Every structure is written in structure tokens, then in C-alpha cells.
């Protein structure tokens, strides 16, 4: 399914403009007194997402890759409308969600749905599967006709036997629970689905089934995906484009083939080198040095410079902007400036 | 040698440091009896790595726990032997087992906080582990602890000794756990998915350390995982488990290049990197049957395209060369070796 | 003794078949303890006794016409002038102790249960709102809770009753005011944990109205610890009411609860007429023990039960 040819008149489905998100509480009165009296240290703010620009066009699958602490889950939740950005705006079909009137905003909300990572925590343990799937369509009056038949249809579409709809979540396996979550999301007829590590907690054989389901649904329902994952193999398989995040920033963005063949950013290169593959020639593990820094105290300048084999003076001071280095290929690295084009 | 014999050829069986023979561990509950481990046999030699592979419910973790004697009621080892250094570990007293654990046998768990006490400092825990099995002074133990930390690649070990577990990152914590496991240079180590929850780059670092340490200290290692990519690069031999039984075993390159059992082939095929990009992944249909209601005969036959009426009979583990497989319709035609009595 | 540890087995390996609501599962697990069954039976008997008081008690102790001062302070087993046997003796008014205890159970239980019920409703609502609403609301509610809990329960109850006067309704009100804060804290704590779970986020993504999320998604999953607290609080309320009545600020003399009965008989303890205090005290003890047995097992089952 090829994404629509992007003319400048058709806005992307979701457009995140300069989105940032911090976590942390402004100290209340008592805490401020304590800090002023030097009895307590101020708790640092967590910069989960740092001025991210990301656009997803209709019909495409954008893979968002990064390791833990990079902010990809937070970004996903901002795109889904579950979490508001601290700064920046989220545009749905070109319109700023925050400016829309209540009814229109709710409409837009329903068009963007999310599939979660944890198959155990993402379903209400006290509701039956059928209730879980049918609740939102019922509340928003989206069911025309027999509600039971509607729920059966949703189950079938997600690969579940409708006879199971009276069972409770604890009676399903992990893969089946993910299917329930998918049925729940699809029941409100979304255009855009954000998969937040949706297959990470599943066994390999179940993962294959769910990924195939995603691909089938994409074709049959004309869906657009933001696929968040730390698993490069999965991302490579399912995505049209890939964006790589590190400590709250996007460091590289390119079509899948391009990024896997010609990764530009040193972090991307390191990540790709470690991509798990079944290799029957035994290879020694070599690894990029150092630990991922804590998001509470990210390094100044380019966040990756302490671990980067090519870091130089400028990297320590100035954060490199995300610049286009080839058609559709953006990278945030000072090395690109110094390279001879 | 009977069909349930060691992976290695019978002649060298005495050089195996650990030999598991027909191990059976059952969990008896209200709803029925679960044969979590149902007749598992393998052996591991010094300096070799065995990858024990399976998905959830396969019994691989319970096998590990059974070997090291950590199965509590309602689970019980109901049959078989675990031969270590001439002794059957299933029959030793708790005292003897405690003497062995931590000194000659060690286990590493997926969650480092299963080993580390969150309210004690690292040096306290290491020294306690040292002095449990060695009669040394406090100062000597401390030096030992410091060297152990350095050996697993923890920078500035002298300072890190004073820290608490929560002050380490996940990868560092797992390294501390590995350090504890290696303190007394055990004869073999069982590692139960220790890197599954870690980032890919950190996982690579830890696997590099483990590879180095195993080579240096000639320790036998059983690496329990569902990740075929890790096993392919780390292990010498592989045993694939399904529903409590080993369905295939042998040298890792051979098994992964030319799998005999349809389940092994299905697992390999499910991995995205083994499929063409953008196409449907090969998937194993259906899901693992509930252990309370396993089908008679081959547990995999409800999902196998090659299954027929013959598969309803008990399938023995058949040797071929230095491999074993449990299937009446293997993927590659094998010469029928003499059928065991 | 403890629940089975099946944690080594992944849930997917041992899926039970058939439809089973979480409630039914819990009930089955609950009944596996003989102590719990004993407690339940005992409690059921006590409650049954209290409910059927008019049918079961030999005499209506509130009916002044039935009392004869000639029957006062008779030891257990004595006969009245009309031939009725006083199984547990009589008090200083000539009231049959057994009847007094049965009717007193009624009062004690109804005060205990109603105060726990209302305190649960008030406290849980406050706690849930604190967990889900904005930071300012939360701060206000929780500071009131802190204030409430820093006063000793007796003191607060005494102050309220001194202000409002005696009477069952006032006692219940006082107990509710004393107890709600515990529920609020527990409810908020559980709600804070549940709120972060993905099924709540999913409900938000599905644009389900907030109030609906709080009451149909959050509340049912926060109930287990609250149920446990409620069972224990019933016992506590009964004991507290007994104390208040003993001190003279509780229920009126004409409709004595167990506590008041104990209080009435106190003055006769030293002169050998111990039965007037003793038997109501035993009844009180047995009731509280039964409730605690039931609540203990509930706590085990609801906390330790894994998702298997």
C-alpha cells in the first residue's frame, strides 16, 4: 500500500510540530520553602520529549525506534491525545487539536486509537471481553443494528472466536488479549493506529500472527500506523519509513530501505549493528560503549556525544538540528556538516 | 543408549558436567495436573553453552528451576535424575543443595531484583555471598568483591561497592548478578532470560561479557531464552522445548540451518528477518494448547500441517548423528535408526 | 496455609476453561479455608439471630410492661414469677439478659454496618476524586484526611456526640465522620496505581467521559482493599460504639446496645453479679471475632490471588 503522493495541499494525517513534554512537579508551597531554606534539593524535570517534529502521511507505516528512556512511548501517547504536550502542537488533518471545539476534538480522538504493550494491564480485568470491545461504540452511538452482531463482527475481524466474548481477560492468552485490544480499537472505526510496543510482550510465533493481522488490516481498512518498537527486525519488516529516537530527540528519519542500507547517524549505525538476526556463524558480540544516560540529566549538546566514537568539540556544546541529507532522509549529526558533499 | 539419552554421543557421557535424565516436574492444582516438564534429557560439558529455547508454557524455566532445586509446592519433581559430579541433585538433602548453590552451581534470573536485596548495599550482598562458601576475612572478601565487579565490566568498582541496587541501571544490576554468580567459579550456571528485559545495546554488552567469561573460566552454561537470535550467536548446542518436552536438540548451527521438527522451523520462520520485507510472515497457526488439556501423542499436532493419524501416538525422541528430534514426519528425511526397545 | 504459588507457570499455560467471572473465582478461593467457613457460619448465625430477634428472644426487653422489678438481678437459670426461665439471668431492671443481648446485637450490628457502609461511600468517593481530579483538589482533600486521622477516634466521636446529643443516628454520624478518612486514603492509593494502567489510558483514548471512567472502570478495580477495610471497620465501629455507650454518650438507655449493657452491669461486677456485664461482653467478643475471621480470609484471598 503506497502512501498518497504528498502534494502540499494534502496535510499529513498527524503532524507533531515542535512537541516537547516534561514530567515533574512544580514544587508546592512547602517544598519551595524547603528548597529556599536549603533543606531540600529541587527535583529535576524529566525531559521525555524534546522539540520533536514528526509527520505521518495517510496510508503509511512509520516505525518509531529507540531504546528505553528515549521517549517514544510518551510521543505515542501525545499523538494519541492521551497526554497533552507541554509545548508544541498536534495537528490532525492540518487542524490543531487544542483549538478545536469539544465535539470536533472528540471526533478526532476517536480517529486515533492505540494498541498497548502490556496485554495484561491493557484490559479491564473486571469486564468481559465483549463488554470491553463494545463499550465505546455503544457510548458514542456508533452501532447501527444489533449490538451483539456488531461485537461478533469485531471479534472475527481480529481473529477471535465470537463465542469467547463472555469470558474475562484472565482466561485468555497474551496473544488473544492483544487481539481483544485490537478489536476494541477498531470498533470505533479509526483511521490511524498507534502501536506502542504492541508485540514486544508476545512469544515469537504469536508475534508473527499479530504482525500479519496488522498488515492484513492495513490493507483491508486502509489504516495508517505509527509503529513504536525497540525491535529493529519487526520495524524493518512492517514499516515504510523509520524514525530513530534517542533521549527525547529524533536523530534520524528515512525510508526503511534507505536507513537500513545507509544509516547516517552514529547511534543508528550502532543500533543496526546490534540488530538481532539468526546467524549460524558464531560471531563475537561487540558493543557500543557506555550506558544510556538518564533522561533526568541528558548530556549537553548532542545527547549521544559521550558514547559516540566520532564526537568532536562542537558535539559537546551544540545540539545538531535534524537536517535533510538526501531525498526523504534526515539526520541530526554535525558530521554531516563537515562532510564534503 | 536409550532414546532419552544425552545429546552428546554415549561414549563421552562421562565428560559432561551436568546430565539431566528424563526429568519430570508436575504441578498439581485444583483444576488438574500440569506436566510442566515431561521427560527432559540433555547434558552439558565444561565450557559449552546450551541454549534451552521455547515460548511461554514450554517448560524451559521450570526445567531450570528443577535442576537447581527451586521448585516449591504445588510443584514437585516426580521423576528423573539430575546428575552433577556423580550425585543426583533431585535426591540430595536441602543442606547439601544449599552448599552447592552459589558455590558450584549458580542461577541468574531475568529480574536482577530477584537476586539483589534492595535495602542492602552491594558490598554487603557480595561479601555475604562470598563468606557463605569461603572462609575469608572481611577485608579479603571485600577485595574479592571488588575484583568480581571489575571482571564483569563495572567501571570504578571501588566506589560502586558502596551503592545500593537502585542506584544502578538495569544493565549494571544484571552485571552485578552475574558477578555474584561467578564469585566461586561455579561448574555450571543456569541463566533464565537474563537479558530479555534489557535494551539491545546493553544486551550486546552483557552477552559479550558472558561469552568472554565462559571461555576464560570453562564454566558450563545453560541459557534459557525464547530469543533465537541470541542463542544462534551465543550457544554451542540448542534444545527446543514445546509443552514440557524437548522436540529437537543438536549443535546450534545445524539445527537452525536445517531444522527437523516443524515447530523449530515454524519458530525460525516467524522471525521477521527470515521473511521478505513487507510480506506476510510465516506463522504457526493456532496457539499452544492449555497444559491442562494437552492432546494425546504429539502436543504440536493440532497446529502442524504435516500431522496425521499416526501423530496421536506417543512420539519418542529419536537420535540421528549428534542430533535428536521428536517427530514422525521430520522436515528432512532421516535414515531410520534402530528403534529403541 | 498460603495460596498456591503457581507463579512459576505462565498464565497462558494453564488457562481455565469455561466462563468464570472474577467474583465466582474469588468466592471459590475464599471458601477453601476452614477458618473462613467457620467465621462465615458464626457471623451468619449472629446476624440471623439479630434479624429474627422478635421471634427468637424469650422476652421483649424494651417493653416496660413486661418487666417486673421483682425479677431484677436474678442469676442465670432462675425462674421468673411467671415461670419463664432466665437463661442468662436478669439485669437491675428485671430484663432478661438473653433477650437483652439478642436485641443489643441488633443495635450493635446495625450501627456497625451502617456506619461502615456510609463511611465507605463517602471515603471512597473522596479518595477516587482525589486521585483523578487535579492537584489542587487532591491536596485539599488529602490534607483534610490527614487532619481527620491525626485526632484519636474516641476524641472526635466524643466531641461530636457531646455537640449533637445521644441517639443512634447521631452515633452513626459520629462514626462515619471518624471512619471515612481511612477509606479515602486507601481508595486514593489504589486508584493512583490503577490510574496508570493501560486499560484506563485506553478508555481515555476511546473518549469515554471521565466520570464514567472513574465509576465503571476505576472503582470496581479499587474495591478489593476497600472491602477488606470495611469488614474490619465494622468490628471497629461496633467496639467504638460500645465504648461510647459505656461512657454514656452512645445509644439511649431504653434501647441498649451490647456496650451499654456492659456499662449497666459494671457496677455489679464486684458484688458477684457478674453475669450482667459478662454475657454481653462475651457476645461482643464473639461478634468481633467472627467479623475478623471473615475479613482475614478476605484479605488473603484478595491480595494473594494471582492472575491464574
Amino acid at each position: 500500500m503506497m502512501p498518497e503522493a504528498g502534494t502540499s495541499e494534502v496535510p499529513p494525517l498527524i503532524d507533531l510540530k515542535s512537541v516537547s513534554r516534561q514530567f515533574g512537579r512544580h514544587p508546592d508551597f512547602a517544598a519551595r520553602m524547603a528548597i529556599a531554606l536549603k533543606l531540600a534539593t529541587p527535583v529535576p524535570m524529566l525531559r521525555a520529549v524534546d522539540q520533536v517534529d514528526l509527520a505521518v502521511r495517510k496510508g503509511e507505516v512509520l516505525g518509531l525506534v529507540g531504546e528505553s528512556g528515549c521517549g517514544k512511548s510518551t510521543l505515542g501517547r501525545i499523538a494519541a491525545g492521551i497526554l497533552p504536550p507541554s509545548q508544541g502542537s498536534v495537528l490532525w488533518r492540518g487542524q490543531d487539536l487544542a483549538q478545536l471545539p469539544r465535539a470536533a476534538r472528540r471526533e478526532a480522538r476517536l480517529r486515533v486509537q492505540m494498541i498497548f504493550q502490556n496485554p495484561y494491564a491493557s484490559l479491564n480485568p473486571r469486564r468481559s471481553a465483549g463488554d470491553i470491545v463494545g463499550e465505546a461504540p455503544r457510548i458514542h452511538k456508533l452501532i447501527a443494528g444489533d449490538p451483539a452482531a456488531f461485537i461478533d463482527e469485531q471479534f472475527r475481524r481480529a481473529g477471535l472466536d465470537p463465542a469467547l466474548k463472555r469470558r474475562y481477560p484472565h482466561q485468555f492468552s497474551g496473544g488473544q488479549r492483544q487481539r481483544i485490544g485490537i478489536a476494541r480499537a477498531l470498533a470505533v472505526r479509526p483511521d490511524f493506529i498507534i502501536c506502542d510496543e504492541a508485540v514486544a510482550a508476545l512469544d515469537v510465533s504469536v508475534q508473527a500472527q499479530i504482525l500479519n493481522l496488522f498488515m492484513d488490516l492495513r490493507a483491508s481498512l486502509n489504516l495508517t500506523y505509527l509503529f513504536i518498537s525497540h525491535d529493529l527486525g519487526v520495524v524493518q519488516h512492517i514499516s515504510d519509513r523509520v524514525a530513530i529516537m534517542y533521549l527525547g530527540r529524533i536523530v534520524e528519519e528515512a525510508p526503511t530501505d534507505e536507513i537500513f542500507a545507509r544509516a547516517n547517524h552514529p547511534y543508528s549505525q550502532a543500533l543496526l549493528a546490534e540488530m538481532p538476526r539468526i546467524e549460524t556463524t558464531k560471531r563475537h558480540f561487540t558493543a557500543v560503549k557506555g550506558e544510556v544516560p538518564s533522561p533526568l540529566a541528558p548530556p549537553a549538546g548532542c545527547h549521544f556525544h559521550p558514547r559516540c566514537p566520532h564526537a568532536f568539540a562542537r558535539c559537546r556544546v551544540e545540539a545538531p538540528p535534524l537536517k535533510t541529507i538526501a531525498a526523504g532522509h534526515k539526520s541530526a549529526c554535525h558530521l554531516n556538516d563537515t562532510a564534503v558533499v | 543408549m536409550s532414546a532419552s539419552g544425552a545429546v552428546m554421543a554415549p561414549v563421552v557421557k562421562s565428560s559432561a558436567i551436568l546430565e539431566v535424565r528424563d526429568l519430570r516436574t508436575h504441578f498439581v492444582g485444583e483444576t488438574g495436573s500440569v506436566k510442566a516438564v515431561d521427560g527432559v534429557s540433555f547434558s552439558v560439558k565444561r565450557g559449552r553453552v546450551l541454549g534451552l529455547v521455547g515460548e511461554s508454557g514450554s517448560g524451559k524455566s521450570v526445567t531450570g528451576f528443577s535442576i537447581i532445586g527451586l521448585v516449591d509446592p504445588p510443584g514437585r519433581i516426580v521423576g528423573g535424575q539430575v546428575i552433577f559430579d556423580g550425585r543426583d541433585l533431585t535426591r540430595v538433602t536441602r543442606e547439601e543443595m544449599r552448599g552447592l548453590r552459589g558455590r558450584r552451581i549458580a542461577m541468574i534470573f531475568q529480574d536482577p531484583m530477584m537476586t539483589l536485596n534492595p535495602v542492602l548495599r552491594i558490598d554487603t550482598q557480595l561479601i555475604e555471598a562470598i563468606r557463605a562458601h569461603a572462609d575469608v576475612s572481611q577485608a579479603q572478601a571485600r577485595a574479592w568483591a571488588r575484583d568480581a565487579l571489575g571482571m564483569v565490566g563495572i567501571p570504578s568498582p571501588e566506589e560502586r561497592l558502596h551503592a545500593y541496587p537502585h542506584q544502578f541501571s538495569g544493565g549494571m544490576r544484571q552485571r552485578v548478578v552475574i558477578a555474584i554468580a561467578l564469585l566461586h567459579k561455579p561448574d555450571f550456571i543456569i541463566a533464565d532470560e537474563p537479558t530479555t528485559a534489557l535494551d539491545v545495546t546493553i544486551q550486546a554488552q552483557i552477552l559479550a561479557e558472558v561469552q568472554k567469561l565462559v571461555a576464560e573460566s570453562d564454566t558450563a552454561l545453560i541459557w534459557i531464552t525464547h530469543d533465537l537470535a541470541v542463542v544462534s550467536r551465543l550457544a554451542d548446542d540448542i534444545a527446543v522445548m514445546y509443552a514440557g518436552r524437548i522436540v529437537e536438540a543438536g549443535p546450534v548451527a545445524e539445527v537452525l540451518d536445517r531444522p527437523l521438527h516443524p515447530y523449530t522451523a515454524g519458530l525460525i520462520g516467524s522471525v521477521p528477518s527470515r521473511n521478505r520485507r513487507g510480506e506476510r510472515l510465516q506463522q504457526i497457526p493456532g496457539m499452544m494448547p492449555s497444559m491442562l488439556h494437552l492432546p494425546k501423542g504429539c502436543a504440536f499436532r493440532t497446529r502442524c500441517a504435516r500431522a496425521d493419524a499416526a501423530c496421536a501416538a506417543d512420539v519418542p525422541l529419536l537420535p540421528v548423528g549428534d542430533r535428536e528430534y521428536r517427530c514422525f514426519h521430520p522436515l528432512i528425511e532421516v535414515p531410520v535408526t534402530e528403534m529403541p526397545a | 496455609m498460603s495460596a498456591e504459588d503457581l507463579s512459576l507457570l505462565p498464565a497462558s499455560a494453564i488457562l481455565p476453561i469455561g466462563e468464570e467471572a472474577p467474583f465466582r473465582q474469588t468466592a471459590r478461593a475464599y471458601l477453601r479455608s476452614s477458618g473462613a467457613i467457620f467465621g462465615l457460619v458464626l457471623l451468619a448465625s449472629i446476624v440471623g439471630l439479630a434479624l429474627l430477634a422478635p421471634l427468637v428472644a424469650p422476652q421483649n426487653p424494651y417493653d416496660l410492661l413486661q418487666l417486673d422489678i421483682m425479677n431484677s438481678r436474678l442469676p442465670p437459670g432462675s425462674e421468673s414469677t411467671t415461670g419463664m426461665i432466665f437463661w442468662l439471668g436478669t439485669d437491675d431492671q428485671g430484663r432478661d439478659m438473653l433477650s437483652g443481648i439478642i436485641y443489643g446485637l441488633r443495635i450493635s450490628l446495625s450501627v456497625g454496618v451502617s456506619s461502615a457502609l456510609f463511611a465507605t461511600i463517602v471515603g471512597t468517593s473522596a479518595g477516587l476524586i482525589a486521585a483523578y481530579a487535579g492537584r489542587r483538589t487532591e491536596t485539599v482533600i488529602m490534607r483534610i484526611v490527614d487532619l481527620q486521622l491525626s485526632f484519636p477516634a474516641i476524641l472526635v466521636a466524643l466531641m461530636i456526640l457531646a455537640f449533637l446529643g445521644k441517639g443512634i443516628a447521631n452515633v452513626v454520624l459520629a462514626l462515619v465522620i471518624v471512619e471515612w478518612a481511612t477509606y479515602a486514603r486507601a481508595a486514593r492509593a489504589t486508584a493512583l496505581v490503577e490510574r496508570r494502567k493501560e486499560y484506563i489510558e485506553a478508555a481515555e483514548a476511546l473518549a469515554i467521559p471521565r466520570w464514567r471512567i472513574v465509576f465503571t472502570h476505576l472503582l470496581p478495580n479499587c474495591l478489593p482493599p476497600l472491602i477488606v477495610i470495611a469488614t474490619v471497620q465494622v468490628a471497629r465501629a461496633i467496639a467504638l460504639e460500645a465504648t461510647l455507650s459505656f461512657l454514656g454518650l452512645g445509644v439511649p438507655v431504653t434501647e441498649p446496645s451490647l456496650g451499654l449493657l456492659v456499662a449497666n452491669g459494671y457496677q455489679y461486677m464486684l458484688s458477684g453479679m457478674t453475669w450482667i456485664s459478662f454475657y454481653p461482653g462475651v457476645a461482643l467478643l464473639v461478634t468481633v471475632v467472627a467479623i475478623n475471621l471473615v475479613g482475614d480470609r478476605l484479605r488473603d484471598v484478595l491480595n494473594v490471588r494471582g492472575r491464574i
Side-chain angles (χ1 to χ4, degrees), chain B residues 52 93 103 125-126 144 154 165 180 211 274 293 317 334:
Chain B
L52 192 55
T93 63
R103 188 170 56 95
Q125 303 191 46
L126 278 166
W144 192 337
I154 293 181
I180 294 178
Q211 244 180 356
R274 284 279 168 139
H293 307 277
L317 192 62
V334 282

Side-chain angles (χ1 to χ4, degrees), chain A residues 6 17 51 70 107 109 119 136 152-153 174 200 286 292 314 322:
Chain A
K17 285 207 181 312
Q51 293 188 299
C70 72
E107 264 302 303
R109 275 283 204 86
D152 287 355
E153 182 52 40
T286 50
V292 181
R314 191 176 170 202
L322 196 60

Side-chain angles (χ1 to χ4, degrees), chain A residues 230-234 236 260 271-279 283 285, chain B residues 200-201 203 207 227-233 271-274:
Chain A
H230 65 274
D231 188 336
L232 284 166
V234 169
Q236 182 184 30
F260 278 85
L271 214 54
L272 263 52
E274 285 317 321
M275 187 168 124
R277 253 181 280 261
I278 298 180
E279 290 170 34
R283 210 184 71 144
F285 289 94
Chain B
V200 158
T201 48
Q203 176 172 278
L207 289 169
D227 190 338
L228 285 173
V230 166
V231 159
S232 73
R233 289 162 68 179
V271 176
S273 57
R274 284 279 168 139

Side-chain angles (χ1 to χ4, degrees), chain A residues 25-26 28 77 80 82 106 109-110 112-114 116-118 120-127 132 135-136 138-140 163 166-168 170-174 176-177 184-185 188, chain C residues 11-12 15-23 25-26 135 138-139 143 194 197-209 212 216-218 220-222 224 302 305 307-308:
Chain A
R25 299 195 137 177
H26 290 291
D28 61 14
R77 279 165 170 74
I82 300 174
R106 202 191 51 144
R109 275 283 204 86
L110 289 178
V112 181
Q113 285 305 309
M114 195 152 169
F116 298 87
Q117 172 176 9
N118 187 338
Y120 296 85
S122 58
L123 302 178
N124 186 340
R126 296 191 177 269
R127 293 281 200 88
I132 291 173
E135 183 190 14
R138 209 180 32 238
I139 294 178
H140 298 298
R166 263 194 288 272
R167 291 207 187 170
Y168 285 80
H170 69 269
Q171 295 174 285
F172 291 94
S173 70
Q176 286 175 315
R177 287 187 217 198
R184 174 179 60 188
V188 293
Chain C
S12 59
L15 297 170
I17 44 167
E19 292 136 22
E20 199 166 60
F23 174 71
Q25 238 200 353
T26 316
R135 210 158 15 104
E138 181 184 10
T139 315
R143 295 296 83 83
E194 287 298 312
K197 293 208 175 143
E198 280 97 331
Y199 70 87
I200 300 287
E201 287 184 313
E204 289 174 354
L206 289 163
I208 294 178
R212 223 197 165 91
T216 62
H217 286 273
L218 213 50
N221 285 292
C222 295
L302 291 176
R305 172 180 75 105
R307 288 272 170 235
I308 290 181

Side-chain angles (χ1 to χ4, degrees), chain B residues 161-276:
Chain B
L161 274 177
H162 297 290
Y164 285 86
H166 70 262
Q167 293 171 295
F168 286 83
S169 70
M172 282 292 169
R173 264 180 250 167
Q174 203 60 294
R175 285 177 204 243
V176 172
V177 167
I178 293 173
I180 294 178
L182 289 169
L183 280 173
H184 295 281
K185 303 220 179 316
D187 295 310
F188 78 85
I189 299 178
I190 304 177
D192 186 8
E193 309 234 42
T195 55
T196 302
L198 302 174
D199 285 325
V200 158
T201 48
I202 307 299
Q203 176 172 278
Q205 290 177 353
I206 295 203
L207 289 169
E209 294 288 352
V210 168
Q211 244 180 356
K212 192 180 64 161
L213 291 165
V214 162
E216 281 171 10
S217 58
D218 219 25
T219 312
L221 179 62
I222 300 177
W223 193 272
I224 301 175
T225 181
H226 63 270
D227 190 338
L228 285 173
V230 166
V231 159
S232 73
R233 289 162 68 179
L234 182 71
D236 302 299
D237 304 294
I238 184 175
V240 180
M241 284 187 73
Y242 187 80
R245 296 197 179 134
I246 292 187
V247 295
E248 183 158 6
V252 69
E254 270 195 62
V255 170
L256 292 180
D257 275 338
R258 285 173 294 281
L260 288 169
H261 197 284
Y263 177 62
T264 315
L267 274 186
I268 297 170
S270 301
V271 176
S273 57
R274 284 279 168 139
N275 292 266
R276 283 194 46 179

